Amino acid sequence: MRSARVATGALMASSLAAATLFLAAPANAATVNYVALGDSYSAGVGTGNYVGSSGSCDRSYDSYPYLWAARHASGFTDAACSGATSSDVLNSQVSALSSSTTEVSITIGGNDAGFANTMETCVLQGTDECLGAVSSAESFAKNSLPGRLAQTYAAIHAKAPNAHVVVLDYPHLYQVPGSCVFGISDTSRSAIDGAADILDGVISKAAANAGFKFADVRAAFDAGHEICGGSTQWLHSTTLPVNESYHPTASGQEFGYLPQFAANA
């Protein structure tokens, strides 16, 4: 469900500069001008292999946007940034779009709903505190996020009126019950997964209202690849560096996100 760093902290606007690449694409991709927007789930936090020039945005060559662009796009601009909210997309990312943009992807909404603080509460405090934090995040997702997403999606359409836009969501983090012996309770894990469903439902509806495609990654991760899913999990649990916690691994990007984006692009 996440697009944020577990450690709290403010984004530095100076780190939101987009990276533009021109790729050697096949002939049938000659007209594909692709722009990736969004948060850490699109930037590729958790995969390593980071683009040195991306700074604290932590864009990765192993993110689904880079993987897809290498195969399909002749022009690629990566504006996704770790920790981004919908306001960051409006203020710092949509400027990467233009009338010549033909393909756009985005994950956004998890940071707006305060997922970083929610996960921090769940990990460091007890079940009751976790359930309270999850409830607050769900309330925001239901009541405040729809308007923010509508504004963001409208801005994307205005800046890139000819683009095909794919909105991706967030996976369930936990397999419940699963193989984890330590950590937060199954009650907390189930509540976090339930919050992902609420968040993804809001995102799906907003995407439909905007006329955008919606790509749901939950089924791919639910096939034994969540945290507590054993040796084939595609998501980091609490880890170092801490900002990679609760993000997809390189396998999660390649086998979870990439196929869903490719199927809807």
Side-chain angles (χ1 to χ4, degrees):
M1 175 176 82
R2 173 166 143 151
S3 55
R5 299 169 181 266
V6 172
T8 57
L11 281 172
M12 294 187 296
S14 61
S15 69
L16 291 173
T20 301
L21 299 178
F22 293 94
L23 308 171
N28 62 0
T31 60
V32 177
N33 185 8
Y34 170 39
V35 178
L37 306 175
D39 52 37
S40 54
Y41 269 53
S42 289
V45 173
T47 66
N49 198 21
Y50 296 118
V51 180
S53 61
S54 68
S56 62
C57 283
D58 288 334
R59 302 182 187 108
S60 172
Y61 292 112
D62 291 334
S63 65
Y64 77 84
Y66 267 91
L67 296 174
W68 190 86
R71 303 174 190 180
H72 301 285
S74 53
F76 173 46
T77 301
D78 189 1
C81 189
S82 177
T85 64
S86 59
S87 294
D88 293 309
V89 174
L90 290 169
N91 295 330
S92 305
Q93 296 187 19
V94 295
S95 58
L97 303 172
S98 71
S99 59
S100 66
T101 303
T102 61
E103 190 73 35
V104 176
S105 66
I106 184 169
T107 57
I108 205 69
N111 291 328
D112 292 77
F115 181 75
N117 291 338
T118 298
M119 290 306 301
E120 185 175 27
T121 297
C122 290
V123 170
L124 298 179
Q125 303 184 40
T127 297
D128 288 346
E129 290 80 3
C130 178
L131 296 182
V134 169
S135 178
S136 295
E138 290 177 343
S139 178
F140 183 94
K142 293 175 183 176
N143 299 311
S144 299
L145 187 59
R148 293 193 182 195
L149 293 178
Q151 183 182 14
T152 302
Y153 296 163
I156 292 171
H157 178 70
K159 293 287 288 184
N162 302 310
H164 176 265
V165 182
V166 180
V167 177
L168 297 95
D169 65 354
Y170 303 98
H172 296 133
L173 290 183
Y174 294 100
Q175 184 178 101
V176 185
S179 61
C180 294
V181 176
F182 302 105
I184 65 177
S185 67
D186 278 353
T187 299
S188 293
R189 291 169 180 152
S190 295
I192 292 167
D193 285 350
D197 287 329
I198 289 174
L199 176 61
D200 291 349
V202 170
I203 293 170
S204 175
K205 184 175 180 179
N209 290 342
F212 296 165
K213 292 287 289 186
F214 175 71
D216 192 347
V217 303
R218 283 173 290 182
F221 282 85
D222 285 352
H225 303 302
E226 315 100 303
I227 299 169
C228 304
S231 61
T232 60
Q233 68 183 48
W234 292 347
L235 290 156
H236 293 287
S237 185
T238 305
T239 190
L240 292 175
V242 69
N243 66 294
E244 294 189 348
S245 301
Y246 312 109
H247 284 82
T249 63
S251 293
Q253 288 283 334
E254 182 177 4
F255 303 116
Y257 270 88
L258 177 60
Q260 297 306 312
F261 174 54
N264 289 279

